Amino acid sequence: MTDRTLFRASAVALIAAAMASAPALAATGSPAAAAPAPTTGSMSAAPSASPQTIARAGKALHQVLEINHSYGAKLAHTTDPAGKQRLIASAKDKATTAITAQGLTVRQYDQVLAEARQNPALRARLFAAAGLPAQK
């Protein structure tokens, strides 16, 4: 797993959930982390992920958003660069643990989130699994 992959996962999660108040990991990623995923077909195409994978990704998304929110607040109050780096590393570790605890790899999680950005039906299922309100 690379930093770029985890940052992308966090950035996509934040964008997908419209959580502008939780910039902990997204703000530290590379410019490519926030780039939109390329479209690869119809937006209404059936998701390639199984219902179980979507449910697991939704649970992980909920946890990752909580981690981002918590660490975003901590980062906002930290001025020491070394302290910020420690917080970022800790947040990345916790996010990875949250994802893998659901039986997913970070790559699988990234794929579900990227697909949800392009597929409104999948996004709705992912949000429901995460306990998030549907995006309008």
Side-chain angles (χ1 to χ4, degrees), residues 38-50:
T39 42
T40 57
S42 172
M43 287 189 168
S44 62
S48 61
S50 71

Side-chain angles (χ1 to χ4, degrees), residues 71-89:
Y71 278 83
K74 292 175 186 179
L75 279 170
H77 293 98
T78 303
T79 57
D80 173 43
K84 285 186 181 220
Q85 291 303 315
R86 283 191 298 274
L87 285 172
I88 291 167

